[in-house]
């Protein structure tokens, strides 16, 4: 059960950045696998006697003494070997004050490669960008996708396996925990509390921790809905909590920086511009979201499917926005780096004409020839076409790389 499964997608991305004087920064929510990816890289590089590995894990007590960039510099200098290729691997580097100065110093040192991890997006703004400029590559590590979930839990692709994925999400640590519901929820709750405390409340000196916890629950219950900071503030007031829209914006920003949630903007398909004030929110790990709201998925299955579809699209490199038409909403407008685009609607089950008209009708109203899809859990569905719109079962959708 302690076997490490290589996540080759991320290891290959790291390899492509080496030997180019580029700092590799692995980002993502805590417990999504950044540390394991770093250890896998360490183990592979250690196999070559020409390599020297300097591995620093800030979550381990033995590295508590490294609190500042000067102490970090001293530690690296003591372990560098000039006659070898030096790989400096630092886990949770944001816990070291002014770490940016160390990265700037060693980035151009001959024979030194820098690969670090961080659990807060703020580390990529401010000083890191100012001091280093564009000389770093962010590789965002997400929770397990469906196919990795099958591999980690020794499952075969089936409706039953998909149900487990929908319910429990993709945190890699669940392999050790197992898929017993009480054990899973206890583990996920512990992770959420750690992330909120370390990466949100303490890092941003938040005083109103109760509101932050209520905000997380509100967003968990409203994933996939278009909401504004004002509407959240109004709801909280109805619950006896007086907060401003400005505070809501600040706190949602902190949650995004800790990779707990993702903010998705709206895109006017006809006018071809982004709206600023109203957004949708999706969780980085839908299993963590399920632990927050509790209960079974019977009442919110469509929300979870939408969250899963969003994360799969991001994983495949799409820039995702919410599409707005005069006649209604398109769940996702997906732009690929090469300039291609597709549109996706998400439904639970398309079982009657009214549902079909709602899901397919808005797509038919888009006046271009980019690919269009409906993704659902409609049973007995392998592949179907509705006047150019492809209807995919969620299981089939999650096996695709391009759309």
């Amino acid at each position: 059960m302690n076997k490490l499964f290589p996540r080759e997608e991320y290891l290959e991305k790291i390899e492509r950045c080496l030997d180019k004087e580029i700092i590799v920064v692995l980002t993502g929510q805590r417990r999504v696998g950044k540390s394991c990816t770093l250890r896998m890289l360490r183990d592979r590089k250690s196999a070559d006697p020409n390599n020297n590995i300097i591995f620093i894990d800030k979550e381990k007590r033995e590295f508590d003494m490294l609190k500042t960039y000067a102490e970090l510099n001293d530690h690296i200098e003591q372990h560098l070997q000039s006659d070898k290729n030096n790989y400096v691997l630092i886990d949770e580097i944001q816990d070291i004050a002014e770490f940016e100065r160390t990265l700037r110093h060693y980035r151009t040192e001959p024979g030194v490669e820098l690969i670090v991890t961080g659990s807060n997006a703020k580390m990529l703004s401010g000083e890191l960008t100012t001091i280093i400029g564009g000389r770093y590559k962010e590789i965002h590590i997400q929770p397990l996708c469906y196919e990795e979930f099958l591999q980690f839990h020794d499952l075969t692709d089936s409706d039953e396996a998909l149900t487990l994925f929908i319910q429990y999400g993709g945190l890699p640590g669940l392999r050790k925990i197992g898929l017993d519901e009480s054990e899973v929820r206890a583990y996920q709750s512990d992770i959420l509390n750690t992330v909120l405390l370390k990466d949100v409340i303490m890092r941003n000196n938040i005083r109103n921790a109760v509101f932050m916890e209520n905000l997380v629950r509100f967003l968990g219950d409203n994933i996939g809905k278009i909401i504004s900071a004002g509407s959240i503030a109004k709801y909280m007031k109805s619950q006896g909590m007086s907060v401003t829209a400005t505070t809501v914006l600040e706190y949602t920003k902190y949650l995004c920086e800790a990779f707990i949630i993702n903010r998705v903007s709206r895109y006017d398909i006809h006018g071809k511009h982004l709206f600023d004030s109203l957004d949708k929110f999706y969780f980085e790990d839908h299993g963590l979201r399920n632990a927050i709201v509790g209960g079974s998925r019977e009442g919110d299955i469509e929300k979870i499917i939408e969250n899963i579809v969003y994360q799969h699209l991001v994983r495949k490199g799409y820039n995702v926005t919410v599409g707005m038409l005069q006649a209604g909403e398109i769940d996702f407008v997906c732009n690929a780096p090469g300039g291609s685009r597709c549109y996706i609607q998400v439904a639970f089950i398309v079982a009657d004409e009214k549902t079909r008209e709602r899901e397919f009708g808005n797509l038919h109203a888009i006046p271009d020839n980019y690919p269009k899809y409906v993704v659902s859990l409609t049973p007995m569905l392998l592949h179907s076409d509705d006047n150019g719109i492809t209807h995919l079962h969620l299981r089939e959708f999650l096996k695709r790389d391009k759309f």
Side-chain angles (χ1 to χ4, degrees):
M1 293 293 286
N2 294 322
K3 176 183 176 183
L4 291 179
F5 284 85
R7 301 181 74 181
E8 294 293 346
E9 171 188 358
Y10 297 120
L11 291 168
E12 290 172 5
K13 287 181 179 180
I14 295 171
E15 289 287 354
R16 290 197 292 269
C17 296
L18 300 180
D19 198 29
K20 296 179 180 178
E21 294 187 357
I22 293 176
I23 301 164
V24 179
V25 184
L26 308 182
T27 62
Q29 180 186 287
R30 287 183 190 263
R31 301 296 180 264
V32 295
K34 302 186 303 297
S35 300
C36 285
T37 300
L38 204 64
R39 290 199 296 270
M40 289 176 193
L41 181 69
R42 174 199 63 190
D43 294 345
R44 290 190 179 186
K45 295 302 179 182
S46 296
D48 186 340
N50 295 311
N51 295 335
N52 173 48
I53 311 299
I54 303 173
F55 190 88
I56 299 168
D57 183 352
K58 278 299 292 173
E59 291 200 325
K60 300 294 185 184
R61 221 175 344 179
E62 62 190 283
F63 297 106
D64 280 349
M65 74 290 188
L66 301 181
K67 299 182 184 299
T68 69
Y69 82 94
E71 293 164 340
L72 178 59
N73 288 352
D74 289 343
H75 181 85
I76 293 173
E77 285 296 328
Q78 291 171 17
H79 293 85
L80 281 177
Q81 297 183 25
S82 59
D83 60 336
K84 292 188 177 183
N85 302 314
N86 293 277
Y87 290 85
V88 180
L89 313 179
I90 309 173
D91 199 15
E92 301 297 350
I93 194 173
Q94 78 274 353
D95 293 336
I96 299 175
E98 296 184 277
F99 67 85
E100 304 92 349
R101 300 178 66 172
T102 296
L103 298 184
R104 178 180 62 180
H105 174 73
Y106 285 103
R107 180 181 66 81
T108 56
E109 283 291 300
V112 176
E113 299 284 355
L114 296 166
I115 304 97
V116 304
T117 79
S119 298
N120 197 287
K122 191 181 290 185
M123 66 180 286
L124 291 178
S125 59
E127 289 302 311
L128 184 56
T129 301
T130 302
I131 291 177
I132 301 174
R135 302 308 299 171
Y136 68 87
K137 171 67 175 177
E138 178 187 5
I139 299 175
H140 182 65
I141 296 184
Q142 294 175 271
L144 304 179
C145 66
Y146 175 58
E147 292 185 313
E148 287 178 319
F149 179 85
L150 296 177
Q151 180 189 20
F152 270 57
H153 295 285
D154 300 315
L155 299 171
T156 56
D157 181 25
S158 66
D159 288 342
E160 291 75 17
L162 180 62
T163 298
L164 291 171
F165 179 65
I166 290 172
Q167 178 75 342
Y168 298 129
L171 293 179
L174 293 182
R175 175 174 170 80
K176 294 181 181 179
I177 300 298
L179 297 179
D180 173 79
E181 180 156 7
S182 61
E183 297 285 340
V184 170
R185 295 312 183 208
Y187 174 75
Q188 292 170 329
S189 295
D190 287 345
I191 289 177
L192 177 66
N193 291 334
T194 299
V195 173
L196 284 177
L197 180 63
K198 287 189 175 181
D199 297 324
V200 181
I201 294 172
M202 292 177 62
R203 180 165 295 280
N204 297 289
N205 298 314
I206 288 175
R207 297 180 180 179
N208 196 345
V210 174
F211 168 63
M212 174 59 78
E213 292 171 358
N214 288 336
L215 176 61
V216 172
R217 280 194 289 269
F218 176 87
L219 294 173
D221 199 43
N222 289 275
I223 55 174
K225 292 184 179 179
I226 293 178
I227 53 180
S228 67
S231 66
I232 296 175
K234 184 177 180 180
Y235 170 80
M236 292 299 174
K237 185 176 181 180
S238 72
Q239 302 299 304
M241 302 190 69
S242 180
V243 295
T244 66
T246 300
T247 300
V248 172
L249 287 173
E250 289 178 354
Y251 281 28
T252 53
K253 176 186 174 186
Y254 298 151
L255 291 171
C256 290
E257 288 175 344
F259 304 107
I260 298 173
I261 61 172
N262 299 271
R263 183 196 306 270
V264 183
S265 300
R266 296 185 306 156
Y267 179 79
D268 182 351
I269 294 174
H270 290 305
K272 297 183 179 180
H273 65 270
L274 287 172
F275 293 99
D276 295 325
S277 58
L278 299 173
D279 304 290
K280 284 187 176 185
F281 293 91
Y282 297 99
F283 275 69
E284 186 80 353
D285 178 66
H286 61 275
L288 205 60
R289 177 267 172 192
N290 293 343
I292 293 168
V293 301
S296 67
R297 305 283 62 83
E298 293 177 4
D300 56 14
I301 184 65
E302 191 162 334
K303 297 178 185 178
I304 305 305
I305 298 173
E306 200 170 314
N307 204 125
I308 291 170
V309 168
Y310 168 77
Q311 290 296 351
H312 185 70
L313 291 166
V314 171
R315 186 187 189 94
K316 298 306 176 183
Y318 288 92
N319 177 37
V320 183
T321 55
V322 179
M324 301 304 298
L325 290 165
Q326 290 181 351
E329 175 189 311
I330 303 298
D331 288 329
F332 299 123
V333 179
C334 316
N335 293 294
S340 62
R341 173 184 293 180
C342 67
Y343 302 97
I344 294 178
Q345 286 282 71
V346 178
F348 175 26
I349 294 176
V350 181
D352 55 52
E353 196 57 37
K354 183 179 179 181
T355 304
R356 176 172 289 276
E357 175 57 31
R358 181 180 70 244
E359 304 301 340
F360 286 80
N362 286 351
L363 291 173
H364 282 306
I366 301 174
D368 63 39
N369 295 318
Y370 288 117
K372 302 173 178 67
Y373 299 88
V374 171
V375 180
S376 76
L377 285 179
T378 304
M380 305 300 291
L381 174 67
L382 295 177
H383 183 285
S384 65
D385 181 87
D386 185 306
N387 294 321
I389 297 174
T390 303
H391 190 179
L392 287 174
H393 191 278
L394 179 62
R395 280 174 58 197
E396 299 306 312
F397 172 84
L398 293 176
K399 299 174 191 176
R400 287 198 176 195
D401 291 326
K402 296 181 180 180
F403 303 96

